[in-house]
Amino acid sequence: MRAKKEKSFDGISIRGKETVMAVGYGSYPYLQSIMQIILIEAVLYSVIFGFATGLKLPVVQLPLLGAIFFFGLVCWGLFAFFKAGIVIFLPILATYLYGFFRMWKEVGNGFWQIENYFITFMNKYYGTHAYTFLVDNYEPARVITVFLIFVTLPLALILSLIILNKASHLLYYPVTLPIIILPFVVGRIPSTSSFSAYIAATFGIFVLGNHIRMSGAGTKEERAALKEQKKIMDSSHYRINIKGSFLMFCSVLLLFLLISLCFSKTTYEYKMNIPKVKKEVRVKIEKIDVKNVADYFGFLNNGKIVIFKYYTASGGLNEGRLGGVGKLNYDNKTDIIINVLENSKTVYLKGFTGSTYDGNAWNGLSDEAMADYAQYKAMWENINLEAADQTGGLLRLMEEALGYVQPMGFYRDYMNIQNVGANSKYTYMPYYPSLNEETGMDTANPEYSKSSAARMGYLISYYYYTGKEDILNRDFFTELAKYQQKPAVYGGMNEELKNKLMEYKETDKQYRTFIEKYYMQVPYSGLEQLKADMEGKYAEMREKYGEEKALSALTAYIRTYIQKNTAYSLKPGTLPKGKDFVEYFLYEKKQGFCTHYASAAALAYRFAGVPARYVEGYIAKPTAIKNGKNIGSKTVTTFSEDDEMKQQTVVEREVRISDSGAHAWVEVYKDGWGWVPVEMTPGFQTEEDSTPAGQNEITPSVTPTPQVTATPAVPEQSDTNNEKDSSGAEKTAKGSRMNYKDIAVFMLAAMLITLVFLITAGVLIKAYRFISLKKAEPGKKTILIYRKVKFLIKAAGVPLDEADYKHSALMVEDNLQQLKEKEFLQFIDIVLKARFGSGPLTPEEAESAGNYYHLVKKTVFRSLPVLKRIICGLYFV
């Protein structure tokens, strides 16, 4: 009866009295290797260059081709010879990660540049009007090439797994198809060479994915045997498949090249009915709201890692995010619809309010501030007002007492506001609303009001300013005292009005404590230049122009200070790591748009001693209002300077504001009145924002950066323009060039360190084995020697017959002629005696085994390549 197969610790298996030896693995078939490498490189080339040529991306071809060849070869080697491949791959991976860390801005800008090309072709092909990303001033060809190079490595890893049969061939389609299809979506076709290579490679992968299916087995032993048999058959079948795959690749490539010569673009569009398809796709694309998609995936962002770095906030708002804002994706679709009188001045619709500045963003009041606000909220409620309704409440109080507010330069009207595309988190309010009369409005927060129920349309009662004088120049406490002495429309109201105004004045005075505590905060460090230039300026203006004109004078000073050495641009680039947003804007980059100007002004006011805060919302300028749709007219009652009442008919217009009307400005707190919007962005000033008469001499006595000449002026442009950077800045930012030399040095250092580590580890392993062999007794020593001999014979590619060691001896002699059959059998007899014999080995037998090992080592090493010889010598023998 045949004995059961057993396996000893030294790898010698015995079946009865037969010695079983492991089958050696043969050398890697060179033809198979070449076919695998060609397929990997072909797919990499077809995908990368198919995508690049399809979208007409400017790339530096030589580095990109080099990266494709290099990464393809490295990834093939990694999975074909894993132990040796991982040694080479690790320093390359370290360099890859280091390079990504050093050039992450270039990689990101390359991605956004590619998106811009895609959007441009989409607009042209489908007739859409999507706007492109704002990117830093890098040369497009360089950053796009860098991005594609970094994409090549992970793509090469996946393709190598598929082509070397380490992963399912089905993975090939979801990985490569979307990249190839993207150019077709916008009516672009990749180059003939890349696309034909992709089609041919895809047919080849399809053939490669064909596997053998074997029926199941009953018992556990049968299943194990079947599994082993299937493994052997799969290996054999793969060798057939790879040849068939390569043959299919070559055949289809040739066929495709022949067909492409006859298949013109005109024929293609006629056969595929392109106009109809374009129309259908355009309709589907225009239904996609990219803003909603970005908001949906906003949870991926956290405090340290930001996936959506270049924000495109819903409705055009950035919600206080500053340094990462790099995309103005104007779709020119209507976000807000308002009804407003034609003679209205600039209408500001307030949305987001920022109170706390952290160097890179504005945030709302903290929980501590809101808890502190509770006592002041109660004070306002005691006089039937709210902090969020302070000014509107004051005007409503005056109107109730006097019967009118027109002599104060205000007119009460109703604004119908419809939110059709703006961020629904906010209720967009005009300034000076009368909210206590508006049911369903929550005024609990001092920074904004919101609807207590979700609704996209609301009717707001508000007071719009018709006066000619700048509100910042008016002393409202003096004016209110004057109105207390005027005769009331309704008898007996003067005393009541007097008492209410006294309560209002006292509440405002106490509330000023809260305002100064939270709206005068500035960063603990940084912004030293702005602090030095602004500190004490408000007191200086009060002394020079008086209390009434001081705030207006300070506003003119800050506006000149900010605008003098900066230029308006919609493409200022992103904020470098570690930089303060305002400081970088004012003294280094000197280019920005509304968020830059509003942020800088808010901090300038605070340093000067005036409470201020940052606001985002929508703006409708007088020209936009007058161009609105005529929806009727209203009779408006006004008062002349002599308090004479007069009436006039004013057209009411429907004004549609798109997301290009999103804007940022600054609010300052005026005692006795409340928050007043102030415009700081060039090109947005209205008549009421202009320098007051007699104050033309107000200019900063100290320029922000006297040692640097001013940035060349840029023509004023509004946020409604998707303008190109007209500053003439170099395409590649100075000091931000890609450090190719640095990365090359790092790669060499990483490879050198890896090499030293591997040699050191090999020497230690070899020393340990030498000591272990020296100390071992003859029997154990012989077993250790056998392991080395067995490894060397396998390394030489000699197939060993597992069932017959005599046959194995013949195989050894046939392949390694210096190793005779007789010597091999004598060596095996000594090994078997050491492993299974009852007596100890003699010194002569142990010495004979050692001599045979040295003979095998000398013979095998002659046939091995130098690198393989070194690896075997250090780590295995």
Side-chain angles (χ1 to χ4, degrees), residues 98-114 135-151 309-310 574 731-740 743:
Y98 173 76
F100 187 84
F101 172 75
R102 289 299 302 270
M103 297 198 297
W104 65 271
K105 283 195 70 176
E106 286 86 345
V107 175
N109 275 270
F111 175 75
W112 295 314
Q113 286 280 9
I114 292 172
V135 294
D136 291 334
N137 294 323
Y138 291 104
E139 184 181 346
R142 293 171 68 88
V143 292
I144 291 174
T145 302
V146 169
F147 174 78
L148 293 177
I149 287 174
F150 277 97
V151 168
K309 183 175 184 291
Y310 272 37
T574 52
K731 289 186 176 180
T732 305
K734 185 178 180 181
S736 300
R737 294 185 182 274
M738 294 169 277
N739 301 304
Y740 294 119
I743 293 171

Side-chain angles (χ1 to χ4, degrees), residues 8-22:
S8 66
F9 76 96
D10 59 359
I12 300 176
S13 300
I14 303 299
R15 182 181 289 116
K17 296 184 179 180
E18 298 283 345
T19 303
V20 180
M21 305 197 60

Side-chain angles (χ1 to χ4, degrees), residues 288-316:
I288 299 174
D289 191 342
V290 180
K291 301 191 294 292
N292 292 340
V293 175
D295 286 344
Y296 179 79
F297 287 101
F299 69 90
L300 294 174
N301 299 333
N302 58 50
K304 296 181 179 179
I305 300 176
V306 180
I307 305 300
F308 293 98
K309 183 175 184 291
Y310 272 37
Y311 298 102
T312 307
S314 297

Side-chain angles (χ1 to χ4, degrees), residues 320-341:
R321 297 171 290 201
L322 302 173
V325 177
K327 179 181 179 182
L328 296 180
N329 189 21
Y330 299 151
D331 56 17
N332 286 331
K333 295 180 181 178
T334 302
D335 281 358
I336 301 285
I337 302 175
I338 61 172
N339 295 349
V340 64
L341 294 180

Side-chain angles (χ1 to χ4, degrees), residues 680-724:
M680 286 288 169
T681 305
F684 283 81
Q685 289 99 320
T686 54
E687 291 181 3
E688 60 267 29
D689 296 321
S690 59
T691 303
Q695 297 177 23
N696 291 322
E697 72 278 8
I698 298 176
T699 54
S701 58
V702 181
T703 55
T705 50
Q707 73 278 13
V708 182
T709 56
T711 304
V714 175
E716 293 182 351
Q717 302 178 37
S718 71
D719 278 0
T720 58
N721 299 323
N722 186 31
E723 51 98 64
K724 295 184 177 180

Side-chain angles (χ1 to χ4, degrees), residues 374-395:
Q375 58 176 313
Y376 299 99
K377 183 177 185 298
M379 293 171 57
W380 283 112
E381 289 175 345
N382 287 337
I383 60 173
N384 295 321
L385 294 177
E386 294 281 0
D389 183 36
Q390 178 182 350
T391 310
L394 171 63
L395 291 171

